[in-house]
Amino acid sequence: MSAHCQLTGVRPGFGNKISHSHRRTSRRFDPNVQRKRYWLPSEGRHVRLTLSAKAIKTIDSIGVEAAVARIRARGVKV
């Protein structure tokens, strides 16, 4: 599963892991991404979305119809 959110577009961040001796090695900061299934009443079907934890809270407040409209406006197929 690719670690990016369909609604907010958040992707992994990159940085350095710093050891006790202060040596630096590359690391990746993955967002908290979940796969959620929502009922889309206007189309009469379920949609499965890859969302960050923040996007799940956003859908709870604005609704799934508005969220899917935002996702499609970004050019992502749902």
Side-chain angles (χ1 to χ4, degrees):
M1 178 171 71
S2 63
H4 76 276
C5 176
Q6 289 179 311
L7 181 60
T8 60
V10 68
R11 291 185 177 272
F14 295 89
N16 290 314
K17 187 183 298 184
I18 301 178
S19 70
H20 178 69
S21 64
H22 220 66
R23 291 187 59 173
R24 293 164 190 249
T25 54
S26 295
R27 66 159 290 181
R28 178 173 147 149
F29 296 90
D30 284 328
N32 183 8
V33 174
Q34 314 291 325
R35 286 190 41 96
K36 292 268 298 177
R37 186 172 170 242
Y38 289 99
W39 173 252
L40 202 56
S42 64
E43 297 181 17
R45 68 183 182 105
H46 286 95
V47 290
R48 190 174 299 274
L49 302 173
T50 305
L51 302 168
S52 63
K54 182 181 178 181
I56 292 171
K57 294 174 190 173
T58 302
I59 289 178
D60 288 344
S61 65
I62 68 170
V64 69
E65 296 286 344
V68 168
R70 283 189 194 179
I71 292 169
R72 287 183 174 148
R74 293 181 66 230
V76 179
K77 184 173 178 254
V78 177

